[in-house]
Amino acid sequence: MNLLTQSAWTELGMAKYQGPSFQPKPLEKSDIINIYYYLRSFISIQELSNLLGIPIFIKGPHSDDSIVINHKSEFGHYHPEFPIRLRKYFVPAVNDSSFKSLTQSTYDQYIKNLARTFFVVYIKLNSNSEYYHKEIERYQELCKERRLDPFFLEKFVHFMKLGYTDSEDIEEAAKFKTFKGDDDFDEDLVKQVVGFWIRRQIDKTDYQFYLGLADLISTYDQKFYEERLE
């Protein structure tokens, strides 16, 4: 597993898209789904499951070969051990400064935008737990009612904008911790990432995924990491 992870880091720029036949985004502009299909150049879900010794998903519509993103009542629930075991291998540079130097350009070119978006959305969602839990409950209700429309996430396209809130009433409007530069994040990616963290709250893997993400950003993007935790 260590050799596989190191290979993925050093050869990521050569990854070939392994997904549906529509025109994919370039690797450096990948969203959540695109990056998965690029990473399939190195390993499939089933192969990763075999190496880690656990199923990746314990519930949901996904298969060994494809990710189902528009199901009306289900989503993939990760095995609770998955982010814990993955974290052991995910960022080889955590304890290897030479490997960090070798792969810093890979992070900067292909991973930084995606990683930063995951990080800032997590921080902002958790800066207002009342709002966050309300949206989690709404998502769960839609699943139960089989009304999880793919357009549900559209309301989050402006989530990282400095003026974002959920009400015109100043007294009732949700308030969040904000930072300079929040307006710069890609809106389509932001809405996907909000959905990811809502689902991870539901399947109880959010904090373990966050720890792996923190390893990644604190290793390759330390200044940004420290600024966002002030």
Side-chain angles (χ1 to χ4, degrees), residues 151-188:
F151 293 105
F152 168 74
L153 295 177
E154 288 298 320
K155 67 179 182 177
F156 298 117
V157 293
H158 300 303
F159 180 70
M160 287 307 300
K161 301 302 181 185
L162 293 175
Y164 177 85
T165 188
D166 60 347
S167 174
E168 295 181 359
D169 188 315
I170 296 177
E171 295 297 323
E172 296 182 2
K175 298 175 178 61
F176 303 90
K177 188 173 183 178
T178 59
F179 295 85
K180 181 180 179 180
D182 280 355
D183 283 335
D184 298 335
F185 289 93
D186 180 82
E187 294 178 353
D188 285 335

Side-chain angles (χ1 to χ4, degrees), residues 8-212:
W9 269 99
T10 56
E11 299 175 14
L12 185 59
M14 295 181 284
K16 302 298 183 183
Y17 180 80
Q18 303 285 323
S21 58
F22 58 79
Q23 183 67 33
K25 295 180 180 179
L27 177 59
E28 60 271 20
K29 295 183 179 180
S30 282
D31 56 21
I32 297 175
I33 302 303
N34 265 253
I35 195 69
Y36 161 72
Y37 285 121
Y38 277 109
L39 291 176
R40 281 187 63 182
S41 291
F42 303 101
I43 193 168
S44 69
I45 290 178
Q46 187 57 56
E47 290 167 339
L48 181 58
S49 174
N50 292 340
L51 285 173
L52 294 177
I54 53 170
I56 306 305
F57 298 102
I58 57 174
K59 180 181 178 182
H62 304 327
S63 71
D64 293 340
D65 298 316
S66 63
I67 299 294
V68 178
I69 59 174
N70 291 326
H71 200 282
K72 289 187 177 297
S73 63
E74 296 182 1
F75 64 89
H77 291 243
Y78 283 100
H79 190 293
E81 278 287 316
F82 172 64
I84 297 172
R85 298 191 186 192
L86 184 64
R87 186 185 176 198
K88 296 176 183 178
Y89 309 101
F90 181 51
V91 189
V94 166
N95 298 308
D96 188 338
S97 58
S98 295
F99 192 78
K100 176 185 179 297
S101 297
L102 178 66
T103 54
Q104 182 68 55
S105 61
T106 297
Y107 174 84
D108 291 340
Q109 185 171 356
Y110 301 116
I111 300 174
K112 181 167 69 175
N113 179 60
L114 194 60
R116 283 186 170 189
T117 305
F118 271 95
F119 193 69
V120 299
V121 170
Y122 180 90
I123 296 296
K124 188 167 185 176
L125 283 170
N126 281 280
S127 74
N128 188 324
S129 59
E130 182 178 352
Y131 168 87
Y132 195 7
H133 287 112
K134 181 181 70 175
E135 294 301 335
I136 292 167
E137 289 173 0
R138 177 60 178 157
Y139 196 94
Q140 290 176 302
E141 288 174 3
L142 291 173
C143 286
K144 290 177 182 177
E145 297 168 0
R146 300 185 63 83
R147 294 195 299 114
L148 191 58
D149 191 289
F151 293 105
F152 168 74
L153 295 177
E154 288 298 320
K155 67 179 182 177
F156 298 117
V157 293
H158 300 303
F159 180 70
M160 287 307 300
K161 301 302 181 185
L162 293 175
Y164 177 85
T165 188
D166 60 347
S167 174
E168 295 181 359
D169 188 315
I170 296 177
E171 295 297 323
E172 296 182 2
K175 298 175 178 61
F176 303 90
K177 188 173 183 178
T178 59
F179 295 85
K180 181 180 179 180
D182 280 355
D183 283 335
D184 298 335
F185 289 93
D186 180 82
E187 294 178 353
D188 285 335
L189 181 55
V190 165
K191 73 179 183 184
Q192 287 187 21
V193 173
V194 171
F196 174 87
W197 286 123
I198 287 175
R199 293 189 293 273
R200 300 296 70 80
Q201 270 275 336
I202 296 171
D203 69 17
K204 308 301 182 186
T205 60
D206 60 314
Y207 185 62
Q208 293 301 329
F209 272 107
Y210 168 74
L211 291 178

